[in-house]
């Protein structure tokens, strides 16, 4: 049992952050060894590199409109140009930054908010639990996109507002997951042992339980990131994302009216969204395989 | 069972009230002039301003305004859209059935197809078949629903010309009876198909995982020991028990269908609730946005109630423990 | 039920059966070269400590292994002259449905479908006609397994029954095909002492009345001593010792078998007596 490690003296010496980091590292190594996980890692790393070195990769500045409009893909414009003569390849490359930023930012934000709420509700139970879980339920009562649209409608659509709106929409899933983990783990022997040893509540919650709960939580973080990217793309497509930032959804918004005459304006940004989302899901699949020991060595199918 | 239903209802009502309260609170937080926030980007005369302030108690304190909004709601008054020059409830009542039609047809295709694919890939002992379906479901899952709609339009409507590219029907229709139905189906086909493919792959994924889980259960071995055929085991044991997670996901999908509808209806200019919401957001018509949000919350709460009941109907262990 | 005649082949014969499971990166040799035979109408015991491979042996013989990855599964299994290794699916199903073999599983709760009424689950094992026409047969089977008021029990769900009742439902399901051979995997482990006695009594009665061959798996040597003519002592996937129950228990040749028997009898003296050690 993974919890048993928590009461070993050697492990207890380690700083909690160091321990969490070690857990993340070893898990990452295991993910890379699964089929889906390896494919996911390759996709995510490529996207991260594209985002980091966007100015080097993209031949044009994102908003530079020096080309012929609606030119089909060619050597000069790999993905063609859009209706205002911008190079779509450059737009897609720069759009990677926005999508990854939203994906990562929203997933981390949801992790912090949802994690804290789930942790408190699952550990303390009782009144804390009922109040917090009602709040979670409250936020799950509006469909994700409706909630985001609602926020954007009322407060406007700058990048940061959008990020907050997406976090508000997706954190309940994270909270529920962490809540379930804490309920499961708080009854275990190593937690009882820690209580007997008179360790502080904060210590037990963060140092004893958290390391054992972390793996399924990372799966959820990856899935959250993919949901966030899809929401941002949807908003961009509706023309409601931050007008000052290039994003894949926004390219599709511009492409909407020209799609029938210039397929390339729609195909490439759409494919980019698909690749990013599939990459995150593959990564999550690989992680799931690592986390869930029941699935290991299990044959698929129904035997006679 | 009756007690179970009552219990869930008692749970749902405070939730709905809380949602409305939060929505109004957010409306309150909008910076700037409350009258403009209410009517949107719309030039207002002083008389009109005074009338609105009086009607919605805009000069009163927040609790009073919440109270008056609730009283209005109980009278079926969702407010008035100054952009559309119509009561919000009218707008919702007109557009909601179209969205319900679109999503329910999509749903009715997605569920059986998703379940079938999930069961085939979950129970097959041929790894290639399983890989094929899981990969397909994964890729389809990554495709944004609006882009999928665009691709369908591009291929099936623009290039092949089988379906109209947008709208809900011809401007002037002379068809009656069966022909009318066919005409409607013609326009409905693409958006419903996009919805079905998008959600169907999600169902297939859930179902496959759930089937794999069920196949690891002891009672499947008992069923094998009874000498049941493969199909009988699937029908009598796998199907029913694997459906439990599917029901909650399906409920979630149906509840959040408005989210997908917002995007799909924009692609197909399908004049439903989603398109209305997008238009209202663009025009800063906050009364309509709030009305639709509350309606969406109501829909989610009702659907969750139905999901709970279905769960209890399928799993006797839940029925006993309420 | 004395020694088998030399000419007639045994009901079941197993030669050099190996089942190696792949668990993560490791390989578990759950069954590692086992020979075993059961005569018509005979009853044998299989004993051994937890994890010695008893359940895996039974499941491998009856082709009921769970969905685990196998590193190796080889050996000869012969049932009534049929080679089970290469048997076709329909022939295998036929054996399970009609007068072939059946199995009672170790954990009756997990092996009953939680969402179906018990009666329907028994009815499935009878197969063929609709529930209405075989309702009587279901009740008859439930009664035969020693359940009181079978008509009521049939309408309950597994979670509404006690452990002993569930075990009896499992027995009814196993009996539905009127098997020539019954494998009972720890049929009494989950039960308290009085229930144990009742279930054992039921099994003994069935064995006697139906001339049904039985293989009883248990780590309770008392149970085996009471019900079985011959016994196999297993450890780490291998048979250490086998032979007449009285002989093996009174003068075990293998030191491990001796230890197992010694421990068991010592424990028995302290615990409530379940029955005499005499062979029936
Ligand atoms: N589904 C499985 N997955 C992984 N390993 C398994 C599985 N089933 C059995 N094993 C392994 O095979 C070996 C034999 O297990 P088996 O269940 O046959 O023992 P047993 O003698 O029946 O034990 P018990 O008396 O506890 O029931 C054990 O080491 C066990 O860990
Ligand atoms: Mg066992």
């Amino acid at each position: 049992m993974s919890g048993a490690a928590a009461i070993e003296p050697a492990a207890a010496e380690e700083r909690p952050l160091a321990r969490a980091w070690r857990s993340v590292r070893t898990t990452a190594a295991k993910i890379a060894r699964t089929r889906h996980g390896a494919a996911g890692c390759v996709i995510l790393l490529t996207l991260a590199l594209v985002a980091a070195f966007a100015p080097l990769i993209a031949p044009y500045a994102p908003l530079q409109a020096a080309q012929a409009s609606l030119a089909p893909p060619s050597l000069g414009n790999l993905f063609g140009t859009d209706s205002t003569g911008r190079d779509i390849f450059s737009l897609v490359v720069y759009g990677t930054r926005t999508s990854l930023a939203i994906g990562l930012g929203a997933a981390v934000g949801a992790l912090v908010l949802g994690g804290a709420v789930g942790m408190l509700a699952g550990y303390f139970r009782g009144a804390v639990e009922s109040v917090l879980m009602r709040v979670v339920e409250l936020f799950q009562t509006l469909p994700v996109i409706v909630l985001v649209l609602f926020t954007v409608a009322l407060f406007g659509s700058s990048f940061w507002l959008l990020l907050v709106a997406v976090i508000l929409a997706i954190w309940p899933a994270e909270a529920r997951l962490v809540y379930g983990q804490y309920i499961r783990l708080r009854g275990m022997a190593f937690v009882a042992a820690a209580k007997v040893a008179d360790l502080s509540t904060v210590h037990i919650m963060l140092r004893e339980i958290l390391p054992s709960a972390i793996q399924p939580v990372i799966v959820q973080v990856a899935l959250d990131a993919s949901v966030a990217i899809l929401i941002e793309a949807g908003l961009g497509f509706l023309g409601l994302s931050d007008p000052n930032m290039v994003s894949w959804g926004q390219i599709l918004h511009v492409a909407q009216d020209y799609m029938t005459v210039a397929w390339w304006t729609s195909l490439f940004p759409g494919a980019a969204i698909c690749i990013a989302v599939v990459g995150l899901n593959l990564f999550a699949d690989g992680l799931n395989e690592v986390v869930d020991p029941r699935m290991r060595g299990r044959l698929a199918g129904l035997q006679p | 069972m009756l007690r179970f239903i009552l219990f869930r209802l008692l749970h749902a009502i405070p939730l709905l009230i809380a949602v409305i309260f939060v929505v109004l609170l957010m409306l309150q937080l909008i910076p700037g002039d409350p009258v403009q926030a209410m009517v949107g980007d719309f030039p207002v005369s002083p008389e009109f301003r005074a009338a609105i302030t009086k009607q919605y108690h805009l000069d009163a304190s927040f609790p009073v305004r919440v109270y008056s909004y609730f009283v209005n709601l109980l009278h079926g008054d969702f407010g008035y859209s100054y952009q559309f020059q119509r009561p919000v409830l009218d707008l919702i009542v007109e557009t909601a059935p179209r969205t319900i039609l679109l999503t329910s047809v999509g749903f009715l295709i997605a569920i059986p197809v998703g379940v079938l694919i999930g069961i085939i890939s979950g129970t097959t002992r041929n790894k290639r078949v399983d890989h094929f379906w899981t990969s397909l479901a994964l890729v389809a899952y990554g495709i944004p629903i609006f882009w999928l709609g665009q691709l369908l339009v591009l291929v099936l409507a623009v290039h092949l010309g089988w379906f109209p590219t947008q709208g809900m029907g011809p401007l002037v229709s002379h068809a009656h009876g069966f022909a009318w139905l066919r005409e409607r189906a013609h326009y409905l086909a693409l958006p419903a198909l996009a919805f079905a493919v998008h959600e169907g792959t999600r169902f297939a994924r859930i179902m496959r995982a759930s089937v794999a889980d069920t196949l690891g259960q002891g009672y499947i071995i008992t069923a094998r020991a009874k000498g049941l055929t493969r199909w009988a085991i699937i029908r009598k044991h796998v199907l029913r028990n694997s459906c439990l997670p599917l029901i909650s996901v399906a409920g979630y999908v149906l509840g959040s269908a408005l989210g997908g509808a917002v995007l799909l209806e924009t692609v197909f200019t399908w004049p439903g609730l989603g398109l209305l919401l997008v238009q209202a957001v663009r025009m800063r018509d906050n009364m309509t946005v709030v009305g639709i949000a509350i309606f969406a919350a109501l829909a989610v709460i009702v659907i969750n109630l139905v999901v709970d009941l279905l769960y209890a109907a399928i799993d006797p262990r839940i029925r006993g423990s309420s | 039920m004395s020694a088998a005649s030399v000419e007639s082949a045994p009901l079941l014969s197993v030669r050099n059966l190996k089942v190696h499971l792949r668990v993560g990166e490791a390989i578990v040799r759950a069954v590692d070269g086992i020979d075993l035979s059961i005569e018509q109408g005979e009853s044998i015991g299989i004993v051994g400590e937890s994890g010695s491979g008893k359940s895996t042996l039974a499941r491998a013989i009856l082709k009921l292994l769970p969905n685990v990855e196998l590193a190796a599964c080889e050996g000869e299994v012969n049932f009534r002259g049929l080679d089970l290794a290469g048997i076709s699916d329909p022939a295998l199903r036929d054996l399970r449905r009609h007068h072939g073999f059946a199995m009672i599983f170790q954990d009756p709760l997990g092996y009953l479908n939680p969402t179906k009424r018990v009666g329907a689950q028994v009815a499935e094992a009878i197969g063929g006609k609709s529930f209405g026409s075989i309702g009587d047969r279901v009740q008859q089977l439930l009664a035969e397994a020693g359940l009181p008021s079978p008509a009521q029990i049939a309408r309950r769900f597994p979670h509404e029954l006690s452990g002993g009742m569930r075990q009896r439902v499992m027995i009814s399901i196993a009996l539905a095909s009127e098997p020539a051979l019954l494998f009972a995997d720890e049929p009494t482990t989950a039960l308290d002492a009085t229930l144990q006695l009742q279930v054992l009594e039921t099994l003994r009665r069935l064995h006697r009345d139906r001339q049904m061959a039985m293989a009883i798996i248990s780590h309770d040597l008392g149970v085996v001593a009471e019900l079985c003519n011959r016994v196999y002592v297993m450890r780490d996937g291998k048979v250490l010792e086998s032979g007449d129950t009285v002989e093996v228990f009174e003068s075990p040749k293998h030191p491990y078998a001796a230890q197992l028997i010694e421990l068991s009898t010592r424990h028995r003296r302290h615990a409530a007596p379940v029955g005499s050690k005499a062979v029936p």
Side-chain angles (χ1 to χ4, degrees):
Chain A
M1 199 167 298
S2 59
I7 42 176
E8 280 171 20
E13 294 300 321
E14 230 176 322
R15 301 288 305 274
L17 264 183
R19 213 160 100 215
W21 174 234
R22 189 166 50 91
S23 158
V24 167
R25 251 184 15 227
T26 50
T27 313
K30 282 187 203 153
I31 296 168
R33 255 179 268 145
T34 65
R35 270 170 56 118
H36 281 191
C41 285
V42 169
I43 293 178
L44 294 186
L45 273 177
T46 311
L47 288 178
L49 287 177
V50 169
F53 299 108
L56 297 180
I57 298 169
Y60 301 94
L63 301 176
Q64 183 184 342
Q67 319 291 313
S69 65
L70 295 181
S74 65
L75 274 183
N77 306 99
L78 279 179
F79 294 173
T81 62
D82 73 358
S83 54
T84 55
R86 298 180 299 177
D87 178 46
I88 292 178
F89 179 71
S90 304
L91 288 176
V92 169
V93 167
Y94 276 98
T96 313
R97 289 185 158 183
T98 311
S99 284
L100 288 197
I102 280 276
L104 197 69
V108 170
L111 172 68
V112 172
L113 183 59
V117 169
M119 221 182 254
L120 292 172
Y123 187 79
F124 289 113
R125 311 294 302 264
V128 178
E129 175 190 24
S130 28
V131 170
L132 288 179
M133 292 322 280
R134 286 303 86 74
V135 174
V136 170
E137 220 173 312
L138 187 64
F139 273 87
Q140 280 190 316
T141 316
L142 280 180
V144 170
I145 292 191
V146 174
L147 186 56
V148 175
L149 268 181
F150 184 68
T151 319
V152 168
L154 299 192
F155 302 106
S157 59
S158 78
F159 176 82
W160 293 108
L161 249 170
L162 194 63
L163 185 62
V164 171
V166 174
I167 291 173
L168 282 183
I170 62 178
W171 74 274
E174 191 73 51
R176 276 191 188 279
L177 182 88
V178 174
Y179 168 71
Q181 288 290 319
Y182 269 66
I183 285 198
R184 182 176 66 85
L185 291 169
R186 77 192 285 275
M188 292 214 166
F190 72 94
V191 176
K195 278 184 189 161
V196 169
D198 218 16
L199 297 173
S200 76
T201 306
V202 176
H203 180 103
I204 296 177
M205 275 167 64
L206 293 180
R207 288 199 181 189
E208 304 293 335
I209 305 187
L210 189 59
S212 309
I214 202 97
Q215 288 181 326
V217 172
I218 306 177
V219 175
Q220 185 63 35
V221 168
L223 295 178
D224 278 352
S226 77
V227 172
I229 288 177
L230 281 174
I231 295 176
E232 194 277 335
L235 243 67
F237 170 72
L238 294 175
L240 296 170
S241 65
D242 190 337
N244 301 315
M245 291 181 89
V246 180
S247 84
W248 294 334
Q250 214 178 39
I251 312 173
L252 287 172
H253 174 66
V254 176
Q256 220 181 149
D257 299 333
Y258 305 95
M259 196 183 65
T260 51
V261 288
W263 52 268
W264 55 90
T265 55
S266 168
L267 185 74
F268 297 107
I273 298 170
C274 187
I275 288 170
V277 173
V278 168
L280 281 163
N281 275 275
L282 282 171
F283 179 79
D285 275 2
L287 188 54
N288 238 335
E289 220 173 293
V290 173
V291 173
D292 192 351
R294 289 179 313 157
M295 285 300 166
R296 242 173 278 157
R298 183 102 146 254
L299 283 182
L302 177 58
Q303 290 173 275
Chain B
M1 197 66 182
L2 198 68
R3 269 191 42 198
F4 184 82
I5 296 175
L6 275 179
F7 179 79
R8 299 301 305 170
L9 266 180
L10 277 183
H11 187 83
I13 291 169
L15 189 61
L16 184 63
I17 293 176
V19 171
I20 297 175
F21 184 80
V22 169
V23 164
L24 293 181
L25 190 66
M26 280 176 83
L27 198 58
Q28 175 77 6
L29 289 176
I30 303 177
D33 178 10
V35 174
Q36 286 292 326
M38 185 149 269
V39 300
D41 301 333
F42 201 84
V44 285
S45 61
E47 305 84 63
F48 189 64
R49 174 177 290 272
I52 285 191
T53 309
K54 187 150 174 295
Q55 188 185 352
Y56 293 102
H57 307 280
L58 289 185
D59 47 356
S61 63
F62 179 60
V64 173
R65 283 159 57 188
V66 170
Y67 174 76
S68 74
Y69 191 86
F70 268 108
V71 171
N72 289 346
L73 266 190
L74 286 180
H75 289 102
D77 179 8
F78 273 66
Y80 188 83
S81 163
Y82 292 95
Q83 298 287 349
F84 294 100
Q85 294 294 328
R86 287 174 66 185
V88 173
L89 188 63
D90 269 16
L91 290 168
I92 293 177
V93 167
E94 185 190 327
T95 52
R98 298 171 185 157
T99 299
I100 293 172
L101 175 70
L102 168 59
T103 49
S104 52
V105 168
F107 208 70
L108 289 181
I109 304 171
I111 285 273
V113 174
V115 166
L116 194 68
I117 294 176
I119 286 188
I120 289 175
S121 62
T123 56
T124 182
R125 306 200 67 200
N126 182 341
K127 280 198 167 166
R128 283 218 202 108
V129 173
D130 186 26
H131 276 159
F132 172 77
W133 285 115
T134 35
S135 310
L136 193 71
L138 185 69
V139 173
Y141 182 79
I143 297 178
I145 191 168
F146 54 91
W147 193 55
L148 179 64
Q150 288 186 325
L151 291 184
L152 290 180
V153 168
L154 210 55
V155 176
L156 297 182
V158 176
H159 282 281
L160 296 173
W162 291 351
F163 298 99
T165 54
Q166 51 174 261
M168 204 174 63
L171 288 175
V172 187
S173 172
H174 298 294
H176 291 284
F178 190 68
W180 180 85
L181 210 65
R182 258 192 49 189
E183 195 178 87
R184 271 298 142 97
H186 202 52
Y187 279 84
L188 183 61
L190 281 191
L193 184 65
F195 187 82
V197 170
H198 194 257
E199 304 306 342
T201 54
R202 197 198 299 234
F203 296 151
R205 276 186 91 181
I206 294 289
M207 200 62 192
R208 183 193 172 276
S210 175
V211 164
D213 204 56
T214 307
L215 288 182
Q217 303 290 322
Y219 54 80
I220 297 298
I221 297 188
T222 308
R224 282 164 57 198
K226 288 174 185 169
L228 296 184
T229 61
R230 191 185 167 73
W231 173 237
I233 296 179
I234 291 174
R235 195 164 42 87
K236 293 182 178 168
H237 295 277
V238 179
L239 194 59
R240 185 186 174 99
N241 292 47
S242 305
C243 272
L244 283 172
L246 183 78
I247 289 175
S248 53
V249 171
Y252 173 79
V253 165
L254 202 56
S256 58
L258 182 56
V262 165
L263 297 163
L264 263 189
E265 291 179 358
T266 306
V267 173
F268 291 97
T269 344
W270 183 267
L273 207 53
L275 195 60
L276 178 67
L277 178 59
V278 174
Q279 285 168 344
V281 170
R282 288 208 179 115
M283 298 189 296
R284 308 194 135 270
D285 179 2
N286 290 335
M287 271 324 234
T288 308
V289 174
V290 167
I292 294 176
I294 291 173
F295 181 81
L298 185 66
V300 170
I301 288 174
V302 169
I303 288 165
N304 284 348
L305 204 63
V306 173
V307 166
D308 282 347
L309 295 181
L310 268 180
Y311 241 96
I314 289 194
D315 194 336
R317 287 167 297 183
I318 294 177
R319 230 176 297 158
S321 66
S322 69
Chain C
M1 273 162 267
S2 55
S5 52
V6 188
E7 302 86 41
S8 76
L11 178 64
L12 175 82
S13 74
V14 174
R15 189 138 303 130
N16 195 23
L17 184 66
K18 282 185 186 158
V19 182
H20 297 177
L21 311 174
R22 202 186 294 279
V23 182
E25 261 126 68
I27 288 180
V28 177
R29 296 162 182 249
V31 175
D32 202 17
I34 282 190
D35 295 333
L36 177 147
S37 72
I38 304 178
E39 303 295 332
Q40 200 88 41
E42 190 193 22
S43 121
I44 65 150
I46 301 174
V47 298
E49 62 187 7
S50 191
S52 55
K54 307 182 296 288
S55 300
T56 308
L57 171 66
R59 287 160 164 227
I61 293 172
L62 303 186
K63 307 205 82 169
L64 287 172
L65 283 171
N67 270 3
V68 288
E69 213 172 317
L70 297 171
C73 183
E74 54 192 51
E76 255 175 59
V77 181
N78 210 295
F79 180 80
R80 255 196 235 129
L82 278 168
D83 172 27
L84 289 192
I87 195 170
S88 71
D89 288 358
L92 180 64
R93 279 203 299 272
D94 194 55
L95 274 181
R96 287 169 177 170
R97 295 180 83 89
H98 307 289
H99 317 295
F101 41 68
M103 181 162 174
I104 300 171
F105 297 95
Q106 199 167 349
D107 150 39
L109 184 56
Y111 281 79
L112 291 172
N113 188 336
T115 67
K116 294 189 86 163
R117 290 181 201 280
V118 160
Q121 299 192 49
V122 177
E124 268 174 22
I126 302 166
K129 290 143 271 173
S130 69
F131 180 70
S133 62
I134 52 176
D136 293 342
R137 174 92 178 103
V138 168
Q139 292 187 19
Q140 189 191 334
L141 281 167
L142 288 171
E144 204 173 342
L147 279 164
S149 56
Q152 275 176 27
I153 303 270
R155 306 199 52 245
R156 298 231 194 125
F157 289 100
H159 75 277
E160 297 168 338
L161 300 176
S162 71
M165 289 162 130
R166 283 182 209 134
Q167 190 62 274
R168 286 163 193 275
V169 172
M170 286 289 337
I171 296 176
S172 323
I173 290 176
L175 294 180
S177 65
E178 306 195 333
L181 170 63
L182 177 70
F183 267 81
D185 191 356
E186 314 261 10
T188 60
T189 310
L191 311 178
D192 67 43
T194 37
L195 276 176
Q196 277 191 10
L197 265 186
Q198 289 175 13
V199 169
L200 288 181
E201 198 45 53
T202 308
L203 285 177
R204 196 211 307 275
R205 179 167 48 79
L206 291 166
H207 171 54
R208 200 178 49 222
D209 296 353
R210 293 187 166 201
Q211 294 295 304
M212 178 177 70
M214 283 202 306
I216 304 229
I217 298 172
S218 183
H219 49 236
D220 186 339
L221 301 191
V223 169
V224 171
E226 240 189 293
L227 288 177
C228 308
N229 321 47
R230 282 193 303 123
V231 66
Y232 291 81
V233 181
M234 275 185 74
R235 189 193 189 182
D236 292 339
K238 294 197 174 67
V239 171
L240 294 182
E241 185 163 357
S242 66
D244 185 82
T245 311
V246 184
E247 273 172 34
V248 171
F249 281 10
E250 282 181 356
S251 51
K253 293 188 201 72
H254 199 282
Y256 170 74
Q259 196 188 341
L260 193 71
I261 290 156
E262 162 65 18
L263 276 175
S264 169
T265 42
R266 202 192 309 159
H267 169 75
R268 197 152 276 283
R269 250 175 259 127
H270 293 294
V274 169
S276 70
K277 258 185 69 183
V279 179

